[in-house]
Amino acid sequence: SALALLIRAEVEWANDGPVVALETVRAGRDLAERRGVIHTVFFFDALSLGALFDLGAWDELLQVADDIVRGSRQVGGHYAPALAQPWITQVLLWRERHAEASDTAASLGAEAVQIRDAQVLVPAWVATALVAIHQGRKRDAIAIIEELDRESEVSLAWYRENFLADLVRICAASDDLALARQLVDRSHPTAKRHQLSLLSAMAALEEAAGDVGEAAGLYERAVEGWSDYGHQVETGLALLGAARCLEKLGDVRWTDRGARAEEIFGGLGAHPFVPLSDGRAL
């Protein structure tokens, strides 16, 4: 059934990567469309956005997301647009369309709290906190992460693990390493994506704490893992992290890592904004 394919694609995204998940999403979407189940078509489209983001197919992502927001709301749907908006916000941020990203993020919090579902809450809070970091609002970013951390009515674990690296980087950029370490210590990865997100989170935490030797090793492992998985941005961020740490260690390999990262972000049309705990950005 289409519903079974929807669940399967979600699990595949976390375990097998975006390419496999996208194949299942498209098969399920075709089935739902043939049966005339329009609401389910929107859900499949929404589920495709994470995979499209990972793969760097951002122009397609923005088109699909726009279709979701317009089409779903025409038939009274709010859930699928709430799933789409965080991915739109992320792409706009990476492409330095900051005013537009701020606009899309503005409605995220209210919608997410109303829907009260982990699949909506976590991406919405992460995107909103990232906007705050880009705008230099560290206190607001931490307040958002703390609110997420206090959430007790909804089980967030699966989805929080998907975004653990973002959550920890936001904490590190906001000079709250205690909260970052708390998030890492409480992590219980159950899928490949979770494990890789924890690896990147640990690398960011060690770098922020000043242990660049340990961080360099973790970043190198993250590069390999994310590259195999198929996540362009996380691969690029791990390469940048490795480059920063290797340069501090006097290791000439840092130039190669930096060049590879530049190639990835150039291909995405993205500015590799990397907020660090001392306020620098690359």
Side-chain angles (χ1 to χ4, degrees):
S1 69
L3 181 58
L5 288 173
L6 200 63
I7 296 169
R8 177 178 150 190
E10 180 74 44
V11 174
E12 286 176 340
W13 183 47
N15 281 293
D16 304 312
V19 173
V20 174
L22 208 51
E23 290 174 357
T24 301
V25 164
R26 286 169 174 163
R29 187 191 193 284
D30 289 345
L31 179 61
E33 198 167 37
R34 287 199 306 272
R35 293 182 176 176
V37 189
I38 301 303
H39 285 292
T40 307
V41 170
F42 286 130
F43 282 125
F44 275 110
D45 284 344
L47 190 55
S48 77
L49 299 178
L52 291 172
F53 182 84
D54 292 355
L55 294 169
W58 291 357
D59 293 334
E60 182 180 353
L61 184 159
L62 292 175
Q63 182 60 61
V64 172
D66 184 59
D67 291 344
I68 291 168
V69 172
R70 288 187 296 103
S72 186
R73 285 180 175 159
Q74 283 175 2
V75 295
H78 296 283
Y79 193 96
L83 291 173
Q85 291 284 17
W87 295 112
I88 297 171
T89 303
Q90 288 248 27
V91 171
L92 293 174
L93 274 179
W94 280 103
R95 288 187 165 172
E96 295 194 286
R97 293 162 64 179
H98 294 156
E100 294 168 83
S102 183
D103 289 342
T104 61
S107 63
L108 281 176
E111 285 187 0
V113 169
Q114 284 180 351
I115 293 173
R116 305 297 298 157
D117 184 273
Q119 192 174 4
V120 173
L121 280 172
V122 177
W125 268 321
V126 168
T128 305
L130 285 170
V131 168
I133 284 294
H134 275 252
Q135 294 175 342
R137 295 185 290 110
K138 293 183 178 183
R139 287 187 179 180
D140 291 344
I142 286 297
I144 293 165
I145 304 302
E146 288 175 337
E147 184 179 354
L148 181 66
D149 195 48
R150 285 194 303 268
E151 177 60 51
S152 59
E153 295 178 14
V154 180
S155 176
L156 304 178
W158 176 273
Y159 297 100
R160 185 178 54 220
E161 301 301 315
N162 276 339
F163 291 91
L164 183 64
D166 276 321
L167 292 169
V168 168
R169 284 192 294 258
I170 290 165
C171 291
S174 303
D175 305 312
D176 195 335
L177 297 192
L179 181 55
R181 193 167 295 281
Q182 182 176 305
L183 290 168
V184 165
D185 289 344
R186 291 215 318 248
S187 176
H188 297 288
T190 56
K192 182 176 182 180
R193 187 186 186 86
H194 300 166
Q195 293 162 351
L196 292 170
S197 195
L198 176 58
L199 189 60
S200 286
M202 290 167 59
L205 183 54
E206 293 303 328
E207 182 186 8
D211 191 344
V212 291
E214 179 67 17
L218 291 167
Y219 278 129
E220 291 281 282
R221 287 170 54 199
V223 169
E224 183 177 354
W226 284 120
S227 180
D228 289 343
Y229 175 84
H231 196 315
Q232 292 288 297
V233 165
E234 285 294 349
T235 302
L237 288 174
L239 283 164
L240 282 178
R244 288 192 303 272
C245 294
L246 290 171
E247 184 180 14
K248 287 180 180 177
L249 293 167
D251 189 322
V252 295
R253 292 178 299 166
W254 79 269
T255 56
D256 166 72
R257 306 302 187 265
R260 287 166 60 191
E262 188 175 339
E263 185 177 349
I264 287 174
F265 288 112
L268 295 171
H271 176 69
F273 179 87
V274 186
L276 302 172
S277 57
D278 63 359
R280 291 182 295 124
L282 294 180

